[in-house]
Amino acid sequence: MTALLLLPLLVPFALPALSWLALDRLAPGTALWVITSSAAALAGCSLAALGAFFLAGLLRLPYFAALGELVQPLHTASDRFVLPLAALSAGGLAGCAWTLARSVLRQTRAFRAARTEAGRRPAAGDLCVVDSPCPDAYALPGRPHRIVVTTGMLRSLDGAEREALFAHERAHNTGGHHFFLAAAELAAHCHPALRRVRDVVRLAVERAADEAAARAVGDRRLTARAIARAALAGQGGVAERPAFVSGAVSGPVPQRVEALLAPRGRRRAGGWVAVVLVACAAVSCVASATGVVDFHHRVEVAQGEAER
């Protein structure tokens, strides 16, 4: 049981490097789905493993063993392994809960403030213009979706560049990119290795929106120029917003511009990276499920409800 449950805690450390490879070799939309799904699966498996270790240690204590109606000792690994792992798991779960709660509260406040600000402004379709000298633009999810842009940003771009910028932000809302960003943010609080994957997902989201904008306006160079000029204009800083809200200047802009200006069809074959990512998630899921089932069986044996 112990070896199986350690595997879901170790596999996530391979995900950051594999995620960067996937984004480099796969189409942005495909990479976004594969990376985010893998990160979410690994996050859930790591939580299951931590929970099993915590319960295994807890049931070694007389009070909780009586509470769990154990009529004989719970047979797991030696106490020299189980109890320290249980203590570490308890600390890990508490840390996850604390940082996640703080993040949810902070981002909920920021999202409400952004929706309130957008609600006070007149909208032309899905476009909401905020009178502010600070150049900024972002896709605001909710009902209805909004594209929020400041007058400072509008003054920084010409007409064609504005259309490319609007197409980029519409792609965020149409593609439901806030769900991917929220999943990556949640996974980042479940395992320390997945914090670096959050940055890959954010870049994948922006790359996917860049490609969608280039298709919408029919000009990759125009899209690249609009992104570059928007990023230069927004260097003075932007207002705080939730991690699941995509902004025009998010992610490493030079890398995004380079990808748009690169010759089409230059992407190297990367199907194997997707296979490896899916395999990592599958191995982690099988190991955690098998470990949890084995732990449950051991509890039943200790309760006298099953035979060895």
Side-chain angles (χ1 to χ4, degrees), residues 224-248:
R225 188 172 73 245
I227 291 169
R229 292 191 64 183
L232 287 173
Q235 281 185 338
V238 296
E240 181 185 3
R241 50 180 176 261
F244 57 84
V245 170
S246 304

Side-chain angles (χ1 to χ4, degrees), residues 1-131:
M1 182 195 85
T2 303
L4 284 172
L5 292 176
L6 281 175
L7 198 56
L9 300 177
L10 297 176
V11 172
F13 287 102
L15 198 64
L18 289 172
S19 297
W20 283 114
L21 272 175
L23 184 56
D24 180 57
R25 293 173 178 267
L26 299 173
T30 303
L32 179 60
W33 273 101
V34 173
I35 295 168
T36 309
S37 301
S38 300
L42 291 177
C45 292
S46 65
L47 287 180
L50 289 175
F53 280 132
F54 174 62
L55 289 175
L58 208 62
L59 291 175
R60 287 299 186 94
L61 303 177
Y63 174 78
F64 291 100
L67 200 63
E69 299 180 350
L70 303 189
V71 297
Q72 53 185 309
L74 178 66
H75 289 280
T76 58
S78 170
D79 286 351
R80 71 176 61 181
F81 297 111
V82 172
L83 295 180
L85 282 173
L88 290 173
S89 299
L93 290 170
C96 289
W98 172 249
T99 59
L100 181 60
R102 290 183 60 189
S103 177
V104 168
L105 289 174
R106 183 176 66 253
Q107 295 187 49
T108 299
R109 287 195 296 265
F111 179 66
R112 286 178 177 172
R115 290 295 303 184
T116 300
E117 177 70 18
R120 287 200 293 257
R121 310 290 177 177
D126 62 347
L127 183 63
C128 176
V129 179
V130 176
D131 186 13

Side-chain angles (χ1 to χ4, degrees), residues 129-255:
V129 179
V130 176
D131 186 13
S132 171
C134 178
D136 194 13
Y138 54 92
L140 186 62
R143 294 185 180 180
H145 291 322
R146 287 281 184 257
I147 298 171
V148 181
V149 61
T150 64
T151 52
M153 180 63 80
L154 293 177
R155 286 193 292 266
S156 302
L157 307 177
D158 63 29
E161 291 166 348
R162 292 174 191 167
E163 289 304 315
L165 179 68
F166 297 158
H168 173 94
E169 300 304 340
R170 286 194 180 96
H172 283 314
N173 283 333
T174 303
H177 290 167
H178 51 286
F179 292 118
F180 294 95
L181 293 172
E185 181 71 16
L186 178 62
H189 292 281
C190 297
H191 195 287
L194 299 179
R195 295 171 189 168
R196 289 180 289 165
V197 178
R198 176 173 50 188
D199 296 331
V200 188
V201 172
R202 181 164 292 279
L203 177 56
V205 159
E206 296 304 328
R207 289 279 310 281
D210 292 342
E211 294 294 330
R215 290 192 298 269
V217 301
D219 191 334
R220 298 179 68 82
R221 296 189 68 86
L222 168 63
T223 306
R225 188 172 73 245
I227 291 169
R229 292 191 64 183
L232 287 173
Q235 281 185 338
V238 296
E240 181 185 3
R241 50 180 176 261
F244 57 84
V245 170
S246 304
V249 297
S250 300
V253 174
Q255 189 172 340

